[in-house]
Amino acid sequence: MPTSKPRRSSRLTARELSYKDIDYRITYRPDDLKDSDGIAPCDTIIGQDRAVDSIKLGLKIKSKGYNVFVTGLGGTGRTSTIRHLLEQLVTKEKPVLQDICYVNNFQTEDNPRVLYFRAGEGKRFKKDMAYLIDSIRKVVPKIWLSEDYKDRNSRILREFETRQKELVNAFEDKLNAAGFVMVQIQSGLGVRNELQPLIDNEPTALEKLERSVKEGKFSASDLDELRRRWDSLRRDFDLTTVESKKLTSKMEEAIEKLNHAMVAPLVTDKINMLKKRYPDEKTVRYLEEVEESLTTDLDRFREAQPRRGEEEAPPYRKREPFEEFSVNLLLDNAETTQMPIVIERSPTYKNLFGSLERVVDRFGYWRTDFTRVNSGSLLRAAGGFLVINALDLLSEPGVWWPLKRALRNGELEITGYDPFYMMAGSGIKPEPIQFDVKVVLIGEPYLYGMLYRLDEDFKKVFRIKAEFDSTMQFTNANVLQYFQFARRIIEQEHLLPFDLSGLQGIAEYGRKLAGHRDKLSVRFTAISDIIREASFCAQERKGKKATREDVHEAIARRRKRVNLVEEKIQELYDNATLMVSTTGTAVGQINGLSVYNIGEYQFGRPTRITVNTSLGKAGVINIEREADLSGPIHDKGVLVLSGWLRQMFAQDKPLAMSASISFEQSYNGVDGDSASSTEIYAILSSLTGLPISQEIAVTGSVNQKGEIQPIGGVNEKIEGFYDVCLSRTLTGKQGVIIPHQNVQDLLLRPDVFDAVKQGKFHIYPVTTISDGLAILTGRPGGKREKNGAFTPDSVMSLADRKLREMALALEFFGREETSKSSEKRQSPRAAAARSRRGAQRRSKSRKPSKR
């Protein structure tokens, strides 16, 4: 809104702002709009064109590393904007998605294999594999019970039994011919076969015959003959045993071939059907391994048998023989119709990357396998977008580095996160998954700056920075968008409608949040809160529509909820614990303005600043700095004002002044340079003895040329001084001096605006130190003219004269001190002579001049 021409006040050369200059009320009325029902709700992103363009660029570039880091102040709609843009993008682009499965690696079981399928095929492949195994498990036992199988098996058994009998009978014939028989002898826990000769038709051990030979009961030559025949028969027995075992082995091989011949065609046919359905090379290779494993280990089709006294085998002895043929479907996009958007609100390692579940086996060991691999949000977002809060991500241990590695390589490794790895037990290392995902991090600007400076990989992985602004230009088009946003909130949350003044009040609040009359805030979280609370205020008064007054009431209540500290400090002013004068005048004393920030709320209050000046060479002494209560910016401000004093008054004489500056009753430290001009006014007042009006409070920074510079928190400072004056007595002469650049920042409370409009409170914008001096002292501030002198009878002229006197006094004082010191060193006679000469010079100087 354009500012009107400043008007003259009764103060000398003072320029005062009229209420029109600070009026920031909005009068825009689109197309005779009466209330919020007459406008369409907003469906676009407001005031973030720069950030939106950056995000769109990052989301559309498919190359690696073009992930997006979104920064900006909280409450500017970062998350909602991201969600809105992603939803728009995914509805326009056709998704190219896939299913991902883990299967057993028959070569190395500790390294499960990953298979990729088109969306929907993974689920079908899992069902097909389950059907394959289930059908084979049902059919194979039936094959073994079939008459054909039994007949073939019987023929093999009979054949080998006949050959076994022929072999045994031939050996038995040799035994009978040699007069030996086969007997079984108990040996330890088992039974062994032994060859013994028949003596008197009774089997007799050779050891017994040896004793009989010693006793003369049996012939030694006959024993030798028996030994020779026993050795020959023993060799034949060993050969027969070997041949028998060979026959048994051949029989087992024949049965195995029979089993394979009966089962393999069934398995092969079913596997070939799957190969045709899933022709991918990696899947075909896996199916071939499945076929080989099924046909080479047919024992898996025989369940565990119960032992004596058991009705069925116990679970620990039962083995799931087909678990290795399971399919672990990690990513299922069968029902996904558009690119996935995953917002991970708890980015722990497990939630983000997935996990390996472990179970305790019957031996007490932790174990896992490929069926216990679980996916995380990073995999669920594959082919789409993953949105994470940066602070949450960085707060989780062991997450940032794996995420960078996965985005850099395009590979996801699912491993168990084991901070206590000594207790982890056995594990597996699944094959890395190739995936493509676009990650969007949302964080504060300081997080982006920290990562950019300290992490070299960060700038390679997050190449796009999208920075959200906190304000937008104040234009009619943007005000209309404010109205549309208010309508959307009203419609979504079923609030009372707002009349035109209520909508304008919402936009005015946006102006105040922005801190400038040419700006509107885009912190729509705060705007939404005021819309809800204004609707509540209207409901309380039983109104049908929310008005501007309801908006003001909501703002006042919001302030009331958080301003307890402000009220406690105001009590200190009311009972004069904090000493500030709001009437009268004083020399070397002035009211400065400061801002208290308590996080969610900030407010201003006046502070008494005093200055004492004296003869000396110490210059400007910052008492706060000497007491370690001054911040670096305040220290700089004091040094700058010292530079202004030297530039202004020390060009033709030394600055023979010592000035001590104090923020009275300040115990917690002072920072900022907004009081530097205030301190100059107090120094000049102390130097010249000119009193300063205590009805005027001052804020404004100054440079070394004496130009007033803008400051922050101007509204809070003005309102703070107004509150102190109001709590005492408004005299109609009180007001504040502010930098002229801050006029566009004036967005005052309605009660302060009304006081200015009624002439009870005044605001003076100034450009130079001279302007401020005129307002505070009622005397021209003055400036240096072409002849080098200052404007006659001005504050500057008086200060220059006083500083010259102080310089001369300091010089004379130095000479006097030197002279006295010299006299002490001279003899009494010389001192007396020097005294007489001085008296003569003084008497001559008193003679009348000839002129």
Side-chain angles (χ1 to χ4, degrees), residues 28-88:
Y28 172 62
R29 180 173 185 170
D31 299 329
D32 297 327
L33 180 70
K34 294 182 179 180
D35 55 35
S36 59
D37 291 337
I39 196 168
C42 137
D43 59 353
T44 60
I45 299 165
I46 303 175
Q48 301 294 353
D49 294 341
R50 182 200 308 271
V52 168
D53 290 342
S54 299
I55 294 170
K56 286 181 177 179
L57 176 67
L59 296 181
K60 290 182 179 180
I61 294 180
K62 303 302 181 183
S63 302
K64 286 184 180 180
Y66 280 86
N67 299 290
V68 183
F69 195 106
V70 179
T71 71
L73 296 178
T76 54
R78 297 172 302 180
T79 303
S80 57
T81 298
I82 290 295
R83 186 186 294 110
H84 182 75
L85 288 176
L86 292 178
E87 289 173 352
Q88 284 185 339

Side-chain angles (χ1 to χ4, degrees), residues 68-69 344-353 377-378 386-404 407 439-443 447 450-451 455 458 461-462:
V68 183
F69 195 106
E344 181 54 75
R345 293 182 171 84
S346 179
T348 62
Y349 188 95
K350 178 179 178 180
N351 291 346
L352 199 59
F353 298 100
S377 54
L378 197 60
L386 176 62
V387 182
I388 314 173
N389 182 279
L391 183 59
D392 293 341
L393 179 73
L394 296 173
S395 300
E396 292 292 338
V399 172
W400 174 244
W401 295 103
L403 176 62
K404 283 195 310 176
L407 295 179
V439 174
V440 179
L441 288 186
I442 301 175
L447 280 178
M450 179 186 70
L451 291 171
D455 192 339
F458 172 73
V461 176
F462 289 90

Side-chain angles (χ1 to χ4, degrees), residues 44 54 63 114 167 170 192 290 322 383 413 469 489 500-501 503 526 543 548 599 602 616 735 838:
T44 60
S54 299
S63 302
V114 62
L167 184 63
R192 63 184 176 85
V290 169
F322 297 96
E413 296 185 25
D469 201 349
I489 298 299
L500 178 62
S501 71
L503 294 174
R548 180 184 270 114
Q602 65 178 19

Side-chain angles (χ1 to χ4, degrees), residues 97-98 100 330-333 336 338-344 350-354 374-386 412 435-437:
L97 303 176
Q98 60 183 358
I100 298 176
L330 258 70
L331 181 61
D332 180 14
N333 283 315
T336 306
Q338 61 184 20
M339 301 166 71
I341 301 173
V342 178
I343 299 177
E344 181 54 75
K350 178 179 178 180
N351 291 346
L352 199 59
F353 298 100
N374 298 318
S375 64
S377 54
L378 197 60
L379 187 60
R380 292 197 301 274
F385 308 94
L386 176 62
L412 173 62
F435 78 113
D436 180 27
V437 68

Side-chain angles (χ1 to χ4, degrees), residues 204-224:
T204 306
L206 292 178
E207 292 81 1
K208 185 177 180 180
L209 293 176
E210 288 176 356
R211 290 195 297 271
S212 297
V213 170
K214 291 180 181 180
E215 295 174 356
K217 295 179 180 180
F218 193 79
S219 170
S221 59
D222 292 340
L223 179 61
D224 291 338

Side-chain angles (χ1 to χ4, degrees), residues 8-15 693 695-696 733-735 762 764 774-778:
R8 293 272 181 177
S9 81
S10 58
R11 294 184 181 276
L12 185 61
T13 69
R15 296 187 303 163
S693 172
E695 294 173 319
I696 305 297
K733 298 180 180 180
Q734 292 144 336
H762 310 276
Y764 305 99
I775 298 170
L776 290 168
T777 64

